[in-house]
Amino acid sequence: DGVNDAPALKRADVGIAVQGATNAAQAAADIVLTEPGLSTIVTAIVTSRKIFQRMKNFVIYRVACTEQLLFFFFVSCIFYHPNEFNDDWPSYFYIPVIALVTITILNDGTIISVAYDNVHASQRPEKWDLNILYIVSSAIGLTALASSLVLLSYALSSTDPNGQWAHMGLPQMTYGEIQTLMYLKISLSDYFSVFNSRTKGWLWTRAPSIILVGAFILATGASTWLSVYWPFGNGMKGISWILAGYCWLYVIFWAIVQDAAKVLTYGVLQSIGWVESVEVIDEVALKRRHQELNNIEID
């Protein structure tokens, strides 16, 4: 807490200056306590571990969304030929750039909300393992990719009166409507993936923050409205509210499948010893203990 401690604080891996320390000690320290006693160090540790969890969730979500988005447009452009279903359609499938821009802009708002999500601090320090994060991200992103390709196949075959699309009672679609349907599907899958990315267990095992839910509602609501009243032209045409509702049901079903793929992936990684099961800190009990210690100090 004094000037003579500044060199030691500077050389330490994590230098901590207590409340009331000199300016020199505070400047040399990595952490400055703002309350009396050392119990606030625990608060700093819990906060830092929660930040680490949010960073991991961000990476998983970002990679999963990128895999679905980029691989979908690569696969659909190379391997799907709409003119095989209708001679008036182009020889490869594409979605206009303006649609991609709206997906990424709305997705950015959802990504930012991850920083305010409810997370639990682990009882033991964790380390970065980008290989594990990429495997989990791929389980989520590639499952979403598969669901998008399946829907695209069905939508393109809507011209066939004897196809599965017609058997389900869905109307025949124009190419512009198929583009808009896939825009909505990819958008919703991206925004639903944030719930898959935030937990190791099932997505309903931990309640999300209000900010994250609000960002999700804003992004999904905007993308749904755009898909119905598409205002930007470029060959895309708005779809009906009924078809948008079917798309929502389809995405919700696959969001659960994505979550099952994630849970299964974590289970396999734990069984082979690549991922450890780490207990979390009970913050309620921790705060209660902290209050008891403060009462003892006051007495």
Side-chain angles (χ1 to χ4, degrees), residues 280-296:
V280 298
I281 296 174
D282 187 346
E283 293 188 58
V284 176
L286 187 65
K287 291 179 180 179
R288 187 185 306 115
R289 180 59 177 166
H290 178 65
Q291 187 61 42
E292 291 174 355
L293 291 175
N294 286 340
N295 293 337
I296 292 174

PDB file of all heavy atoms in Angstrom, residues 280-296:
ATOM      1  N   VAL A 280     -19.635 -24.800 -10.956  1.00  0.00           N
ATOM      2  CA  VAL A 280     -19.733 -23.341 -10.963  1.00  0.00           C
ATOM      3  C   VAL A 280     -19.851 -22.809  -9.545  1.00  0.00           C
ATOM      4  O   VAL A 280     -20.201 -23.542  -8.608  1.00  0.00           O
ATOM      5  CB  VAL A 280     -20.943 -22.876 -11.806  1.00  0.00           C
ATOM      6  CG1 VAL A 280     -20.775 -23.312 -13.244  1.00  0.00           C
ATOM      7  CG2 VAL A 280     -22.247 -23.410 -11.224  1.00  0.00           C
ATOM      8  N   ILE A 281     -19.552 -21.548  -9.398  1.00  0.00           N
ATOM      9  CA  ILE A 281     -19.598 -20.892  -8.095  1.00  0.00           C
ATOM     10  C   ILE A 281     -21.033 -20.522  -7.757  1.00  0.00           C
ATOM     11  O   ILE A 281     -21.748 -19.955  -8.593  1.00  0.00           O
ATOM     12  CB  ILE A 281     -18.705 -19.639  -8.090  1.00  0.00           C
ATOM     13  CG1 ILE A 281     -17.236 -20.040  -8.290  1.00  0.00           C
ATOM     14  CG2 ILE A 281     -18.879 -18.848  -6.806  1.00  0.00           C
ATOM     15  CD1 ILE A 281     -16.302 -18.852  -8.439  1.00  0.00           C
ATOM     16  N   ASP A 282     -21.435 -20.836  -6.527  1.00  0.00           N
ATOM     17  CA  ASP A 282     -22.754 -20.440  -6.034  1.00  0.00           C
ATOM     18  C   ASP A 282     -22.643 -18.998  -5.532  1.00  0.00           C
ATOM     19  O   ASP A 282     -22.198 -18.754  -4.411  1.00  0.00           O
ATOM     20  CB  ASP A 282     -23.201 -21.379  -4.915  1.00  0.00           C
ATOM     21  CG  ASP A 282     -24.639 -21.120  -4.475  1.00  0.00           C
ATOM     22  OD1 ASP A 282     -25.191 -20.059  -4.842  1.00  0.00           O
ATOM     23  OD2 ASP A 282     -25.207 -21.964  -3.755  1.00  0.00           O
ATOM     24  N   GLU A 283     -23.041 -18.051  -6.381  1.00  0.00           N
ATOM     25  CA  GLU A 283     -22.853 -16.646  -6.033  1.00  0.00           C
ATOM     26  C   GLU A 283     -23.765 -16.208  -4.897  1.00  0.00           C
ATOM     27  O   GLU A 283     -23.420 -15.302  -4.133  1.00  0.00           O
ATOM     28  CB  GLU A 283     -23.091 -15.767  -7.266  1.00  0.00           C
ATOM     29  CG  GLU A 283     -22.042 -15.967  -8.354  1.00  0.00           C
ATOM     30  CD  GLU A 283     -22.187 -14.957  -9.469  1.00  0.00           C
ATOM     31  OE1 GLU A 283     -22.124 -13.743  -9.185  1.00  0.00           O
ATOM     32  OE2 GLU A 283     -22.392 -15.377 -10.632  1.00  0.00           O
ATOM     33  N   VAL A 284     -24.928 -16.827  -4.768  1.00  0.00           N
ATOM     34  CA  VAL A 284     -25.823 -16.490  -3.657  1.00  0.00           C
ATOM     35  C   VAL A 284     -25.170 -16.845  -2.330  1.00  0.00           C
ATOM     36  O   VAL A 284     -25.142 -16.046  -1.383  1.00  0.00           O
ATOM     37  CB  VAL A 284     -27.179 -17.210  -3.812  1.00  0.00           C
ATOM     38  CG1 VAL A 284     -28.063 -16.938  -2.598  1.00  0.00           C
ATOM     39  CG2 VAL A 284     -27.877 -16.765  -5.092  1.00  0.00           C
ATOM     40  N   ALA A 285     -24.631 -18.063  -2.238  1.00  0.00           N
ATOM     41  CA  ALA A 285     -23.942 -18.489  -1.014  1.00  0.00           C
ATOM     42  C   ALA A 285     -22.694 -17.655  -0.784  1.00  0.00           C
ATOM     43  O   ALA A 285     -22.352 -17.337   0.366  1.00  0.00           O
ATOM     44  CB  ALA A 285     -23.584 -19.966  -1.108  1.00  0.00           C
ATOM     45  N   LEU A 286     -22.012 -17.279  -1.855  1.00  0.00           N
ATOM     46  CA  LEU A 286     -20.803 -16.463  -1.724  1.00  0.00           C
ATOM     47  C   LEU A 286     -21.131 -15.084  -1.159  1.00  0.00           C
ATOM     48  O   LEU A 286     -20.429 -14.573  -0.276  1.00  0.00           O
ATOM     49  CB  LEU A 286     -20.134 -16.332  -3.093  1.00  0.00           C
ATOM     50  CG  LEU A 286     -18.767 -15.648  -3.132  1.00  0.00           C
ATOM     51  CD1 LEU A 286     -17.737 -16.477  -2.369  1.00  0.00           C
ATOM     52  CD2 LEU A 286     -18.319 -15.457  -4.576  1.00  0.00           C
ATOM     53  N   LYS A 287     -22.212 -14.466  -1.643  1.00  0.00           N
ATOM     54  CA  LYS A 287     -22.604 -13.158  -1.130  1.00  0.00           C
ATOM     55  C   LYS A 287     -23.051 -13.251   0.329  1.00  0.00           C
ATOM     56  O   LYS A 287     -22.778 -12.350   1.134  1.00  0.00           O
ATOM     57  CB  LYS A 287     -23.727 -12.580  -1.995  1.00  0.00           C
ATOM     58  CG  LYS A 287     -23.283 -12.183  -3.392  1.00  0.00           C
ATOM     59  CD  LYS A 287     -24.450 -11.647  -4.211  1.00  0.00           C
ATOM     60  CE  LYS A 287     -24.005 -11.257  -5.609  1.00  0.00           C
ATOM     61  NZ  LYS A 287     -25.140 -10.750  -6.448  1.00  0.00           N
ATOM     62  N   ARG A 288     -23.727 -14.350   0.655  1.00  0.00           N
ATOM     63  CA  ARG A 288     -24.166 -14.537   2.038  1.00  0.00           C
ATOM     64  C   ARG A 288     -22.957 -14.655   2.970  1.00  0.00           C
ATOM     65  O   ARG A 288     -22.929 -14.064   4.044  1.00  0.00           O
ATOM     66  CB  ARG A 288     -25.051 -15.775   2.136  1.00  0.00           C
ATOM     67  CG  ARG A 288     -25.686 -15.964   3.512  1.00  0.00           C
ATOM     68  CD  ARG A 288     -26.456 -17.269   3.609  1.00  0.00           C
ATOM     69  NE  ARG A 288     -27.446 -17.395   2.534  1.00  0.00           N
ATOM     70  CZ  ARG A 288     -27.397 -18.312   1.583  1.00  0.00           C
ATOM     71  NH1 ARG A 288     -26.388 -19.186   1.563  1.00  0.00           N
ATOM     72  NH2 ARG A 288     -28.328 -18.360   0.667  1.00  0.00           N
ATOM     73  N   ARG A 289     -21.954 -15.412   2.540  1.00  0.00           N
ATOM     74  CA  ARG A 289     -20.737 -15.563   3.334  1.00  0.00           C
ATOM     75  C   ARG A 289     -20.002 -14.249   3.464  1.00  0.00           C
ATOM     76  O   ARG A 289     -19.477 -13.909   4.538  1.00  0.00           O
ATOM     77  CB  ARG A 289     -19.842 -16.611   2.671  1.00  0.00           C
ATOM     78  CG  ARG A 289     -18.515 -16.872   3.400  1.00  0.00           C
ATOM     79  CD  ARG A 289     -18.736 -17.349   4.812  1.00  0.00           C
ATOM     80  NE  ARG A 289     -17.484 -17.653   5.481  1.00  0.00           N
ATOM     81  CZ  ARG A 289     -17.349 -17.837   6.773  1.00  0.00           C
ATOM     82  NH1 ARG A 289     -18.402 -17.757   7.584  1.00  0.00           N
ATOM     83  NH2 ARG A 289     -16.164 -18.114   7.291  1.00  0.00           N
ATOM     84  N   HIS A 290     -19.969 -13.485   2.384  1.00  0.00           N
ATOM     85  CA  HIS A 290     -19.305 -12.180   2.409  1.00  0.00           C
ATOM     86  C   HIS A 290     -19.998 -11.247   3.402  1.00  0.00           C
ATOM     87  O   HIS A 290     -19.334 -10.520   4.157  1.00  0.00           O
ATOM     88  CB  HIS A 290     -19.331 -11.576   1.007  1.00  0.00           C
ATOM     89  CG  HIS A 290     -18.726 -10.209   0.908  1.00  0.00           C
ATOM     90  ND1 HIS A 290     -17.389  -9.963   1.126  1.00  0.00           N
ATOM     91  CD2 HIS A 290     -19.282  -8.995   0.618  1.00  0.00           C
ATOM     92  CE1 HIS A 290     -17.148  -8.676   0.979  1.00  0.00           C
ATOM     93  NE2 HIS A 290     -18.281  -8.064   0.667  1.00  0.00           N
ATOM     94  N   GLN A 291     -21.330 -11.272   3.435  1.00  0.00           N
ATOM     95  CA  GLN A 291     -22.079 -10.447   4.366  1.00  0.00           C
ATOM     96  C   GLN A 291     -21.823 -10.873   5.808  1.00  0.00           C
ATOM     97  O   GLN A 291     -21.687 -10.034   6.706  1.00  0.00           O
ATOM     98  CB  GLN A 291     -23.569 -10.524   4.041  1.00  0.00           C
ATOM     99  CG  GLN A 291     -24.439  -9.568   4.861  1.00  0.00           C
ATOM    100  CD  GLN A 291     -24.082  -8.118   4.628  1.00  0.00           C
ATOM    101  OE1 GLN A 291     -23.839  -7.705   3.490  1.00  0.00           O
ATOM    102  NE2 GLN A 291     -24.021  -7.340   5.694  1.00  0.00           N
ATOM    103  N   GLU A 292     -21.729 -12.181   6.026  1.00  0.00           N
ATOM    104  CA  GLU A 292     -21.446 -12.671   7.384  1.00  0.00           C
ATOM    105  C   GLU A 292     -20.079 -12.206   7.858  1.00  0.00           C
ATOM    106  O   GLU A 292     -19.913 -11.811   9.029  1.00  0.00           O
ATOM    107  CB  GLU A 292     -21.526 -14.202   7.397  1.00  0.00           C
ATOM    108  CG  GLU A 292     -22.935 -14.747   7.202  1.00  0.00           C
ATOM    109  CD  GLU A 292     -22.947 -16.261   7.069  1.00  0.00           C
ATOM    110  OE1 GLU A 292     -21.832 -16.850   7.035  1.00  0.00           O
ATOM    111  OE2 GLU A 292     -24.046 -16.851   6.993  1.00  0.00           O
ATOM    112  N   LEU A 293     -19.093 -12.235   6.979  1.00  0.00           N
ATOM    113  CA  LEU A 293     -17.754 -11.775   7.352  1.00  0.00           C
ATOM    114  C   LEU A 293     -17.749 -10.279   7.651  1.00  0.00           C
ATOM    115  O   LEU A 293     -17.074  -9.824   8.581  1.00  0.00           O
ATOM    116  CB  LEU A 293     -16.766 -12.090   6.222  1.00  0.00           C
ATOM    117  CG  LEU A 293     -16.458 -13.578   5.992  1.00  0.00           C
ATOM    118  CD1 LEU A 293     -15.553 -13.735   4.766  1.00  0.00           C
ATOM    119  CD2 LEU A 293     -15.787 -14.182   7.215  1.00  0.00           C
ATOM    120  N   ASN A 294     -18.522  -9.514   6.871  1.00  0.00           N
ATOM    121  CA  ASN A 294     -18.596  -8.074   7.128  1.00  0.00           C
ATOM    122  C   ASN A 294     -19.240  -7.800   8.486  1.00  0.00           C
ATOM    123  O   ASN A 294     -18.811  -6.909   9.224  1.00  0.00           O
ATOM    124  CB  ASN A 294     -19.405  -7.389   6.024  1.00  0.00           C
ATOM    125  CG  ASN A 294     -18.645  -7.296   4.728  1.00  0.00           C
ATOM    126  OD1 ASN A 294     -17.415  -7.398   4.701  1.00  0.00           O
ATOM    127  ND2 ASN A 294     -19.355  -7.101   3.614  1.00  0.00           N
ATOM    128  N   ASN A 295     -20.266  -8.589   8.822  1.00  0.00           N
ATOM    129  CA  ASN A 295     -20.920  -8.411  10.127  1.00  0.00           C
ATOM    130  C   ASN A 295     -19.952  -8.739  11.276  1.00  0.00           C
ATOM    131  O   ASN A 295     -19.957  -8.066  12.308  1.00  0.00           O
ATOM    132  CB  ASN A 295     -22.153  -9.304  10.213  1.00  0.00           C
ATOM    133  CG  ASN A 295     -23.237  -8.869   9.234  1.00  0.00           C
ATOM    134  OD1 ASN A 295     -23.273  -7.723   8.807  1.00  0.00           O
ATOM    135  ND2 ASN A 295     -24.116  -9.796   8.862  1.00  0.00           N
ATOM    136  N   ILE A 296     -19.111  -9.766  11.080  1.00  0.00           N
ATOM    137  CA  ILE A 296     -18.152 -10.121  12.124  1.00  0.00           C
ATOM    138  C   ILE A 296     -17.124  -9.003  12.291  1.00  0.00           C
ATOM    139  O   ILE A 296     -16.754  -8.648  13.422  1.00  0.00           O
ATOM    140  CB  ILE A 296     -17.442 -11.434  11.754  1.00  0.00           C
ATOM    141  CG1 ILE A 296     -18.448 -12.594  11.814  1.00  0.00           C
ATOM    142  CG2 ILE A 296     -16.269 -11.717  12.696  1.00  0.00           C
ATOM    143  CD1 ILE A 296     -17.869 -13.912  11.326  1.00  0.00           C
TER     144      ILE A 296
END
